[in-house]
Amino acid sequence: MAAPAGDGVKEECEQVIQDDPGAARFGNFINYYTFNPPENRLSLIPANLLEELGYSSDNSAPILILDVGCNSGDLSVALYRHLLGQDGSPGETQPSRELHLLGCDLDEALIQRAQQSNPFPETVSFIPLDVTQEQACRAQLGGYLGRFGRASFDLGLCLAVTMWVHLNHGDPALLALLSRLARLCQHLLLEAQPWKCYRAAARRLRRLGRRDFEHFKELGVRGDVAGQAREHLERRCGMELVRAFGSTAWDRSLLLFRRRGAGGDSP
C-alpha cells in the first residue's frame, strides 16, 4: 500500500506486477506476505500489548484498531488473532473486551482478496482507501468511528507504508500522513522503511525501464527517515515514543507512539 492511484495507475500497476511482483510502484505487492510473512512482525509484538497500553478487560467499550496499508489482510488477521490470544480458529471463545479492526489499502484487488478470506467478518473489516486523501479519510474513517461513537482509534498501524507515500508524493505528503495518523489514533505503531529501501525501490524501476519516482531526487527527508518521522510526531503532533520493539528480519524497528496525555481507556 501507499500512494494514491490516479488515472491510468491501475493499468500501470498491473503491468509492473506482471513484469516483476517486487517492483509495484505504489507498494501494492501481490505476493507481499510470501517474502515478509506476518510472524516477522508478530514475533516482536507482545500478545498482551493492549493490556500494556492500559486497555482493561473490565471496560466494556470495544477496542478499535486501524491498519493502514493492509495489503491482502494477512497481517491484519494474524495480529487480530495474536492480540486475542487465539491459535487461529475463528470459532474460539473471545474475551469479554471486544476488538474491532479496520484495514485499508488503495489497491481494490488486494482489498477484495482480504474481504474474501476474512475469517472474522463481524469484527474485522477491509475497505479500499487512499490515506493520503484528507476528505476520503474524513468520510470513511470518520464514518467507521461514528458507528462506535468514537473520535479516534485506540491503536493505529502504519507498517512499511511511509516510503511509498514519500516516493510518490514528496515530503509534504509524508508529514501530512504522520500528522493525520496522530490525530486519528491514541497509539501508533510505526515501521518506516530505511533509506536503503528507497534506493532499492528506485533501482527496481530503472532495471525494468520504468520512469523513476517523481520526487525521489528532491526529497529533503532522507537518511534517517525513521528518526525524522519520530521528530515530527513528537514535536509537531503531540505524540511521544513509549517503546521500540527490537528489529524485524529486515532490520527495521517497530516504534510505538502514544498521544501525550492519553490513557489506555480515555473517554
Side-chain angles (χ1 to χ4, degrees):
M1 181 280 163
D7 294 340
V9 163
K10 180 178 180 182
E11 291 77 10
E12 179 182 8
C13 285
E14 289 176 350
Q15 185 60 51
V16 169
I17 289 170
Q18 288 171 6
D19 292 343
D20 180 356
R25 180 180 292 274
F26 300 93
N28 51 327
F29 306 103
I30 60 172
N31 59 345
Y32 182 74
Y33 293 111
T34 63
F35 56 83
N36 191 13
E39 53 265 27
N40 283 353
R41 276 103 169 215
L42 295 185
S43 63
L44 300 175
I45 300 173
N48 66 339
L49 175 64
L50 297 176
E51 287 78 6
E52 289 188 9
L53 296 181
Y55 294 102
S56 169
S57 59
D58 296 332
N59 191 317
S60 61
I63 298 172
L64 306 183
I65 297 178
L66 173 66
D67 185 6
V68 172
C70 64
N71 196 273
S72 57
D74 297 46
L75 178 60
S76 305
V77 171
L79 176 68
Y80 182 85
R81 287 172 167 155
H82 184 66
L83 294 178
L84 288 180
Q86 295 193 355
D87 65 5
S89 173
E92 291 181 342
T93 302
Q94 299 203 7
S96 57
R97 188 77 184 263
E98 283 190 16
L99 178 62
H100 291 259
L101 185 147
L102 176 66
C104 62
D105 198 287
L106 65 80
D107 191 312
E108 293 188 12
L110 290 173
I111 288 297
Q112 186 175 18
R113 284 173 53 191
Q115 292 169 339
Q116 291 173 345
S117 61
N118 181 9
F120 304 102
E122 294 185 358
T123 50
V124 176
S125 305
F126 296 101
I127 60 171
L129 176 66
D130 176 1
V131 293
T132 69
Q133 302 300 306
E134 177 69 26
Q135 290 186 346
C137 285
R138 286 182 182 273
Q140 296 196 61
L141 299 183
Y144 180 86
L145 289 168
R147 289 165 42 193
F148 300 93
R150 302 279 290 278
S152 61
F153 292 88
D154 297 294
L155 174 64
L157 309 176
C158 184
L159 307 178
V161 171
T162 53
M163 178 182 75
W164 303 108
V165 171
H166 201 192
L167 281 172
N168 285 284
H169 298 283
D171 294 335
L174 169 65
L175 301 180
L177 172 64
L178 295 172
S179 298
R180 186 169 299 123
L181 293 176
R183 291 194 301 270
L184 280 168
C185 306
Q186 295 290 319
H187 299 84
L188 175 63
L189 187 61
L190 177 69
E191 177 192 350
Q193 294 100 318
W195 188 251
K196 63 182 180 181
C197 293
Y198 285 66
R199 295 196 299 266
R203 281 197 303 270
R204 284 196 296 267
L205 288 188
R206 288 194 293 269
R207 190 170 61 243
L208 289 172
R210 305 279 173 176
R211 61 182 175 85
D212 204 350
F213 293 103
E214 181 179 355
H215 298 274
F216 178 56
K217 294 181 180 179
E218 59 192 52
L219 295 177
V221 177
R222 56 176 60 222
D224 183 9
V225 180
Q228 293 178 75
R230 172 185 175 180
E231 181 179 5
H232 178 77
L233 287 169
E234 292 187 326
R235 292 191 177 185
R236 302 288 184 180
C237 303
M239 303 203 88
E240 58 185 350
L241 180 68
V242 294
R243 188 167 175 183
F245 294 105
S247 293
T248 67
W250 290 359
D251 196 28
R252 303 176 191 170
S253 292
L254 301 180
L255 304 179
L256 180 64
F257 295 87
R258 175 179 58 202
R259 189 183 296 176
R260 290 194 186 94
D265 283 314
S266 52

PDB file of all heavy atoms in Angstrom, residues 73-86:
ATOM      1  N   GLY A  73      -4.463  -8.338   3.760  1.00  0.00           N
ATOM      2  CA  GLY A  73      -5.058  -8.565   5.067  1.00  0.00           C
ATOM      3  C   GLY A  73      -4.445  -9.668   5.910  1.00  0.00           C
ATOM      4  O   GLY A  73      -4.904  -9.911   7.029  1.00  0.00           O
ATOM      5  N   ASP A  74      -3.397 -10.319   5.419  1.00  0.00           N
ATOM      6  CA  ASP A  74      -2.813 -11.436   6.165  1.00  0.00           C
ATOM      7  C   ASP A  74      -2.316 -10.999   7.545  1.00  0.00           C
ATOM      8  O   ASP A  74      -2.592 -11.663   8.554  1.00  0.00           O
ATOM      9  CB  ASP A  74      -1.652 -12.043   5.379  1.00  0.00           C
ATOM     10  CG  ASP A  74      -2.085 -12.640   4.052  1.00  0.00           C
ATOM     11  OD1 ASP A  74      -2.852 -11.976   3.328  1.00  0.00           O
ATOM     12  OD2 ASP A  74      -1.642 -13.754   3.716  1.00  0.00           O
ATOM     13  N   LEU A  75      -1.576  -9.895   7.578  1.00  0.00           N
ATOM     14  CA  LEU A  75      -1.045  -9.418   8.852  1.00  0.00           C
ATOM     15  C   LEU A  75      -2.163  -8.899   9.750  1.00  0.00           C
ATOM     16  O   LEU A  75      -2.134  -9.108  10.960  1.00  0.00           O
ATOM     17  CB  LEU A  75       0.002  -8.335   8.623  1.00  0.00           C
ATOM     18  CG  LEU A  75       0.592  -7.713   9.898  1.00  0.00           C
ATOM     19  CD1 LEU A  75       1.271  -8.769  10.765  1.00  0.00           C
ATOM     20  CD2 LEU A  75       1.572  -6.590   9.547  1.00  0.00           C
ATOM     21  N   SER A  76      -3.147  -8.237   9.165  1.00  0.00           N
ATOM     22  CA  SER A  76      -4.269  -7.717   9.952  1.00  0.00           C
ATOM     23  C   SER A  76      -4.944  -8.838  10.728  1.00  0.00           C
ATOM     24  O   SER A  76      -5.178  -8.726  11.937  1.00  0.00           O
ATOM     25  CB  SER A  76      -5.295  -7.037   9.037  1.00  0.00           C
ATOM     26  OG  SER A  76      -4.710  -6.036   8.247  1.00  0.00           O
ATOM     27  N   VAL A  77      -5.270  -9.929  10.034  1.00  0.00           N
ATOM     28  CA  VAL A  77      -5.952 -11.053  10.669  1.00  0.00           C
ATOM     29  C   VAL A  77      -5.029 -11.744  11.672  1.00  0.00           C
ATOM     30  O   VAL A  77      -5.453 -12.115  12.771  1.00  0.00           O
ATOM     31  CB  VAL A  77      -6.448 -12.044   9.602  1.00  0.00           C
ATOM     32  CG1 VAL A  77      -6.963 -13.330  10.248  1.00  0.00           C
ATOM     33  CG2 VAL A  77      -7.539 -11.402   8.756  1.00  0.00           C
ATOM     34  N   ALA A  78      -3.757 -11.898  11.305  1.00  0.00           N
ATOM     35  CA  ALA A  78      -2.810 -12.548  12.213  1.00  0.00           C
ATOM     36  C   ALA A  78      -2.629 -11.722  13.487  1.00  0.00           C
ATOM     37  O   ALA A  78      -2.553 -12.279  14.591  1.00  0.00           O
ATOM     38  CB  ALA A  78      -1.470 -12.753  11.516  1.00  0.00           C
ATOM     39  N   LEU A  79      -2.571 -10.405  13.357  1.00  0.00           N
ATOM     40  CA  LEU A  79      -2.446  -9.546  14.539  1.00  0.00           C
ATOM     41  C   LEU A  79      -3.706  -9.626  15.390  1.00  0.00           C
ATOM     42  O   LEU A  79      -3.631  -9.672  16.626  1.00  0.00           O
ATOM     43  CB  LEU A  79      -2.194  -8.105  14.112  1.00  0.00           C
ATOM     44  CG  LEU A  79      -2.141  -7.092  15.265  1.00  0.00           C
ATOM     45  CD1 LEU A  79      -0.896  -7.323  16.123  1.00  0.00           C
ATOM     46  CD2 LEU A  79      -2.175  -5.665  14.749  1.00  0.00           C
ATOM     47  N   TYR A  80      -4.860  -9.641  14.757  1.00  0.00           N
ATOM     48  CA  TYR A  80      -6.123  -9.753  15.477  1.00  0.00           C
ATOM     49  C   TYR A  80      -6.122 -11.014  16.338  1.00  0.00           C
ATOM     50  O   TYR A  80      -6.449 -10.984  17.529  1.00  0.00           O
ATOM     51  CB  TYR A  80      -7.269  -9.767  14.471  1.00  0.00           C
ATOM     52  CG  TYR A  80      -8.641  -9.822  15.078  1.00  0.00           C
ATOM     53  CD1 TYR A  80      -9.290  -8.658  15.476  1.00  0.00           C
ATOM     54  CD2 TYR A  80      -9.310 -11.038  15.242  1.00  0.00           C
ATOM     55  CE1 TYR A  80     -10.562  -8.703  16.033  1.00  0.00           C
ATOM     56  CE2 TYR A  80     -10.579 -11.084  15.794  1.00  0.00           C
ATOM     57  CZ  TYR A  80     -11.202  -9.918  16.191  1.00  0.00           C
ATOM     58  OH  TYR A  80     -12.451  -9.956  16.747  1.00  0.00           O
ATOM     59  N   ARG A  81      -5.746 -12.128  15.737  1.00  0.00           N
ATOM     60  CA  ARG A  81      -5.675 -13.380  16.495  1.00  0.00           C
ATOM     61  C   ARG A  81      -4.629 -13.297  17.590  1.00  0.00           C
ATOM     62  O   ARG A  81      -4.843 -13.781  18.711  1.00  0.00           O
ATOM     63  CB  ARG A  81      -5.343 -14.523  15.543  1.00  0.00           C
ATOM     64  CG  ARG A  81      -6.484 -14.926  14.633  1.00  0.00           C
ATOM     65  CD  ARG A  81      -6.024 -15.920  13.596  1.00  0.00           C
ATOM     66  NE  ARG A  81      -7.160 -16.540  12.924  1.00  0.00           N
ATOM     67  CZ  ARG A  81      -7.106 -17.054  11.708  1.00  0.00           C
ATOM     68  NH1 ARG A  81      -5.983 -17.019  11.024  1.00  0.00           N
ATOM     69  NH2 ARG A  81      -8.171 -17.608  11.163  1.00  0.00           N
ATOM     70  N   HIS A  82      -3.503 -12.685  17.278  1.00  0.00           N
ATOM     71  CA  HIS A  82      -2.401 -12.562  18.223  1.00  0.00           C
ATOM     72  C   HIS A  82      -2.842 -11.804  19.480  1.00  0.00           C
ATOM     73  O   HIS A  82      -2.567 -12.231  20.604  1.00  0.00           O
ATOM     74  CB  HIS A  82      -1.251 -11.833  17.523  1.00  0.00           C
ATOM     75  CG  HIS A  82      -0.006 -11.696  18.327  1.00  0.00           C
ATOM     76  ND1 HIS A  82       0.768 -12.772  18.709  1.00  0.00           N
ATOM     77  CD2 HIS A  82       0.628 -10.595  18.820  1.00  0.00           C
ATOM     78  CE1 HIS A  82       1.827 -12.345  19.388  1.00  0.00           C
ATOM     79  NE2 HIS A  82       1.754 -11.030  19.475  1.00  0.00           N
ATOM     80  N   LEU A  83      -3.545 -10.698  19.287  1.00  0.00           N
ATOM     81  CA  LEU A  83      -3.962  -9.878  20.413  1.00  0.00           C
ATOM     82  C   LEU A  83      -5.089 -10.527  21.208  1.00  0.00           C
ATOM     83  O   LEU A  83      -5.268 -10.240  22.394  1.00  0.00           O
ATOM     84  CB  LEU A  83      -4.398  -8.495  19.919  1.00  0.00           C
ATOM     85  CG  LEU A  83      -3.276  -7.643  19.305  1.00  0.00           C
ATOM     86  CD1 LEU A  83      -3.827  -6.312  18.811  1.00  0.00           C
ATOM     87  CD2 LEU A  83      -2.141  -7.413  20.298  1.00  0.00           C
ATOM     88  N   LEU A  84      -5.849 -11.402  20.554  1.00  0.00           N
ATOM     89  CA  LEU A  84      -6.893 -12.122  21.268  1.00  0.00           C
ATOM     90  C   LEU A  84      -6.366 -13.384  21.930  1.00  0.00           C
ATOM     91  O   LEU A  84      -7.096 -14.060  22.655  1.00  0.00           O
ATOM     92  CB  LEU A  84      -8.031 -12.499  20.309  1.00  0.00           C
ATOM     93  CG  LEU A  84      -8.918 -11.356  19.819  1.00  0.00           C
ATOM     94  CD1 LEU A  84      -9.989 -11.899  18.889  1.00  0.00           C
ATOM     95  CD2 LEU A  84      -9.552 -10.609  20.974  1.00  0.00           C
ATOM     96  N   GLY A  85      -5.111 -13.757  21.641  1.00  0.00           N
ATOM     97  CA  GLY A  85      -4.538 -14.963  22.216  1.00  0.00           C
ATOM     98  C   GLY A  85      -5.089 -16.222  21.593  1.00  0.00           C
ATOM     99  O   GLY A  85      -5.110 -17.279  22.235  1.00  0.00           O
ATOM    100  N   GLN A  86      -5.523 -16.128  20.342  1.00  0.00           N
ATOM    101  CA  GLN A  86      -6.082 -17.292  19.670  1.00  0.00           C
ATOM    102  C   GLN A  86      -5.014 -18.050  18.904  1.00  0.00           C
ATOM    103  O   GLN A  86      -4.008 -17.486  18.485  1.00  0.00           O
ATOM    104  CB  GLN A  86      -7.186 -16.858  18.700  1.00  0.00           C
ATOM    105  CG  GLN A  86      -8.396 -16.250  19.386  1.00  0.00           C
ATOM    106  CD  GLN A  86      -9.580 -16.131  18.434  1.00  0.00           C
ATOM    107  OE1 GLN A  86      -9.456 -16.424  17.266  1.00  0.00           O
ATOM    108  NE2 GLN A  86     -10.704 -15.701  18.950  1.00  0.00           N
TER     109      GLN A  86
END
